[in-house]
Amino acid sequence: MKGTTVQLHTHTWGEGDRVALLIHGIMADHRTWRRVGPALAERGYRAIAVDLRGHGISGRGEYSPEAFADDVAETLPAGAELAIGHSLGGLTLANSIARLKPQRAVFSDPAWHLDAPEPGFGPEVFARFKAAPKEQIQAMNPRWEEIDVDIELATLAVWDEATAFSLTPLMGTDLLPAAPVVPSLVQLADPSFLISPERAAVLEERGFEVRSVAGAGHTIHRDDFDGFMASLEGWI
């Protein structure tokens, strides 16, 4: 399937006139947005979430940042009012934004600099996480509701861990965009292990608005849903 795009599975909330696109991070799928999708629908959006290739019930194939972006650009409608990408979804959105051309973009703790937080940490650690028991997920995410822990277990079960190794060439690489293609918010965890304060300052200099959600972990929309939505004020 190398070089061939995958028509991604999508899930939609709402029937509003405005369109919002939701792109999840690695190991997840559209179910990670279980609260965000309905909240956007209540605000008049038709919120469309994808399962990236290798995730959820979308097809498998060769994995690379370029392939993720090509799939999204081929599957999702161009010209949406809003696009939100989390982690790997933030990188995917950045790589496809010139084709998607949303009116506004939100990059939620985007994977724009993949440093190893400690020696020996790398994509293989993500791959091993596929077998993580419920107790480990709860311990790592003490603020998550139990339903999100159960969803994580379900998404891990159908996730192709080979997707993690597509990130190997990116380790230690500066992936910060040179400039926003459309008006863009970068929403950060507190602290963010992906975007340091120094890199956040660079993004502001390049024209991105940067906001942190106090005390929130990497998956902000699950860790502090109310803080996540409040951080989007003026963008949704």
Side-chain angles (χ1 to χ4, degrees):
M1 293 184 64
K2 188 174 182 180
T4 302
T5 57
V6 172
Q7 188 68 25
L8 302 176
H9 171 75
T10 62
H11 184 88
T12 301
W13 295 270
E15 299 177 352
D17 294 331
R18 298 186 294 170
V19 174
L21 311 178
L22 301 173
I23 309 171
H24 64 79
I26 196 163
M27 300 186 286
D29 62 31
H30 73 275
R31 289 172 286 184
T32 192
W33 305 110
R34 68 169 186 94
R35 297 185 69 184
V36 177
L40 292 174
E42 289 177 359
R43 289 164 172 77
Y45 285 94
R46 178 165 57 94
I48 308 170
V50 295
D51 292 350
L52 294 175
R53 72 163 66 188
H55 299 75
I57 60 175
S58 285
R60 275 48 182 158
E62 297 291 332
Y63 301 119
S64 68
E66 295 77 19
F68 292 133
D70 289 345
D71 293 345
V72 164
E74 288 294 321
T75 299
L76 292 174
E81 280 75 10
L82 174 69
I84 302 176
H86 169 246
S87 195
L88 174 62
L91 175 62
T92 300
L93 176 57
N95 288 341
S96 58
I97 197 164
R99 288 170 284 176
L100 287 175
K101 299 178 181 177
Q103 293 180 18
R104 301 177 302 285
V106 176
F107 300 94
S108 185
D109 222 29
W112 288 348
H113 197 93
L114 303 179
D115 270 338
E118 57 188 46
F121 185 92
E124 65 278 0
V125 175
F126 287 109
R128 289 199 301 269
F129 196 73
K130 181 176 174 69
K134 184 172 184 176
E135 294 74 19
Q136 182 181 355
I137 295 171
Q138 289 173 319
M140 293 178 66
N141 305 284
R143 298 174 67 181
W144 285 18
E145 295 183 10
E146 185 169 5
I147 186 174
D148 288 306
V149 175
D150 290 338
I151 286 172
E152 185 80 350
L153 287 168
T155 55
L156 286 171
V158 296
W159 168 57
D160 183 354
E161 65 270 33
T163 58
F165 296 99
S166 70
L167 304 179
T168 300
L170 304 182
M171 296 300 292
T173 303
D174 182 2
L175 303 171
L176 298 184
V181 175
V182 301
S184 298
L185 168 68
V186 179
Q187 181 195 60
L188 299 181
D190 176 34
S192 170
F193 68 86
L194 291 171
I195 306 293
S196 67
E198 293 76 18
R199 292 191 180 92
V202 170
L203 288 168
E204 288 184 319
E205 291 171 0
R206 292 180 180 179
F208 292 85
E209 182 169 350
V210 179
R211 299 177 181 177
S212 292
V213 179
H218 172 58
T219 311
I220 302 170
H221 56 279
R222 284 171 146 175
D223 217 47
D224 182 359
F225 172 74
D226 291 337
F228 173 86
M229 295 302 296
S231 178
L232 299 182
E233 183 178 353
W235 288 86
I236 59 174

